[in-house]
Amino acid sequence: MVNKKFGLFAGIALAGSVFLAGCGDDSADTDTENGGESGGSSDPEFISILTGGTTGTYYPLGGAMAQIIEDETGIDTTAEVSQASAANMTSLKDGTGEIAFVQTDTAFYASEGTNMFDGEVIDSVSAIGALYPETIQLVTTADSGIASFEDLAGKSVSVGAPGSGTYINAEQLLEIHGMTMDDIDAQNLDFGESQESLQSGQIDAAFITAGTPTGAVESLSATADVVIVPVAEDKANELIEKYPYYAHDTVPSGVYGLTEEVPTVSVLAMLVAQNDLSEDTVYNITKAIYENTDKIQHAKAEFIKSETALEGIGIDIHPGAQKYFDEVNQ
């Protein structure tokens, strides 16, 4: 993957606020060349893509996409470390970023003002497109003796930051198995902290919602025998019936040293954008990403396709993205 500078999250606000002031002939020519129609609005000079932690999947994908956007559109684009889905939606609402990775379920909660967004509807953000399955992985080690969800009772389990997408996934999976957060010793750790704590024996298991292979789990597998606790088919069906944004998924054999595939469930990763970004800008960004996936050196790139980009999305599509997909999916 082409090296890409990754800025600190604290720099997002400055990068996200600088826009071209003029709408002169040069800007119009640039918009037309990039594939959009010149509509009197110019592309921003800078764009920040809010990703997640450095050990997850969003961060490396965001770096690759930032380079593609910059190469294809000329917009200076930087991938930023963040606290992932829920925080990213709030940051876009507050104007401290232009584009972000989120889970489809988290974006839906934001649009409805439910769960971690209770009473706070975010209607200033719309979808660019779906990317790939985000697998809910209940990770432990062979030494823990944990083989089922029921074995989590009384154990120390990382469930992600309170109100995060991972936290809600953990809460809903525990619910389907007749449990609550009160039945475990819940720890609010990010992926990197979960890996270190599993490795040192400070926790017994961790919920990780991310595309596989996930960097933190790969790092753990270098020093321990990783176990992914399965979600039985009947429990998966029950979960999907109650929360239809989930889908059946598997962690493949060979990943993390697993000798057979493990059944589980997933949500989708998606890209979202501020509504304030112009139709031309989002059209050009969408075109750049979905037509250059061969430049993304990550296993999840194979899932990023224009044909499936509008599946599983429960919020409005940005007009610029809709325009692009209407053109290519005729």
Side-chain angles (χ1 to χ4, degrees):
M1 180 177 72
V2 178
N3 284 334
K4 177 68 197 169
K5 57 183 183 295
F6 299 112
L8 293 175
F9 187 66
I12 296 175
L14 178 60
S17 62
V18 183
F19 290 83
L20 284 177
C23 300
D25 292 340
D26 290 345
S27 296
D29 290 344
T30 300
D31 283 346
T32 303
E33 288 170 5
N34 283 339
E37 296 174 1
S38 177
S41 63
S42 56
D43 286 343
E45 287 183 342
F46 305 103
I47 283 180
S48 291
I49 304 178
L50 311 184
T51 62
T54 57
T55 57
T57 304
Y58 289 172
Y59 187 67
L61 282 178
M65 289 179 182
Q67 188 67 64
I68 288 169
I69 292 169
E70 189 165 307
D71 290 345
E72 297 295 319
T73 71
I75 302 171
D76 188 7
T77 308
T78 304
E80 308 285 353
V81 176
S82 79
Q83 294 300 310
S85 291
N88 288 352
M89 290 295 293
T90 300
S91 293
L92 289 191
K93 181 201 71 172
D94 294 341
T96 53
E98 290 72 49
I99 298 174
F101 285 77
V102 300
Q103 293 173 200
T104 50
D105 53 340
T106 302
F108 177 78
Y109 301 148
S111 71
E112 297 286 311
T114 58
N115 285 318
M116 69 282 274
F117 301 99
D118 187 22
E120 180 192 8
V121 174
I122 297 179
D123 56 9
S124 58
V125 175
S126 51
I128 291 179
L131 300 172
Y132 61 88
E134 287 222 76
T135 307
I136 290 86
Q137 305 165 72
L138 177 51
V139 182
T140 185
T141 64
D143 290 342
S144 74
I146 295 172
S148 69
F149 275 77
E150 290 73 18
D151 292 337
L152 295 178
K155 298 296 177 64
S156 180
V157 183
S158 172
V159 294
S164 67
T166 297
Y167 186 96
I168 300 297
N169 297 149
E171 196 170 47
Q172 291 170 344
L173 273 164
L174 287 171
E175 173 196 346
I176 293 301
H177 288 86
M179 304 172 70
T180 70
M181 289 290 179
D182 292 336
D183 293 311
I184 63 174
D185 179 14
Q187 303 295 313
N188 303 122
L189 308 177
D190 64 24
F191 294 170
E193 292 168 336
S194 294
Q195 174 225 318
E196 293 170 0
S197 297
L198 280 168
Q199 200 165 313
S200 64
Q202 292 179 301
I203 63 172
D204 302 298
F207 283 91
I208 291 181
T209 300
T212 56
T214 307
V217 189
E218 285 190 305
S219 296
L220 177 65
S221 70
T223 60
D225 293 329
V226 167
V227 173
I228 306 295
V229 178
V231 178
E233 184 176 3
D234 62 329
K235 292 298 183 182
N237 289 338
E238 187 179 344
L239 182 74
I240 294 165
E241 183 176 356
K242 185 166 186 178
Y243 303 108
Y245 39 75
Y246 285 100
H248 290 279
D249 200 2
T250 61
V251 180
S253 173
V255 174
Y256 315 137
L258 300 175
T259 56
E260 57 185 27
E261 72 175 22
V262 179
T264 184
V265 291
S266 65
V267 289
L268 286 171
M270 66 187 291
L271 281 179
V272 295
Q274 286 183 335
N275 291 345
D276 288 347
L277 285 180
S278 73
E279 179 176 321
D280 284 350
T281 296
V282 176
Y283 174 95
N284 294 333
I285 289 170
T286 308
K287 179 181 176 70
I289 292 171
Y290 284 87
E291 294 188 359
N292 291 279
T293 56
D294 59 317
K295 298 178 182 177
I296 301 175
Q297 301 301 310
H298 192 284
K300 290 303 172 188
E302 66 176 297
F303 295 99
I304 305 174
K305 300 176 181 179
S306 60
E307 311 93 271
T308 57
L310 301 182
E311 295 179 1
I313 293 177
I315 65 172
D316 291 340
I317 311 298
H318 193 287
Q322 187 70 61
K323 177 183 174 183
Y324 172 73
F325 294 124
D326 286 346
E327 288 180 2
V328 299
N329 293 331
Q330 292 180 356

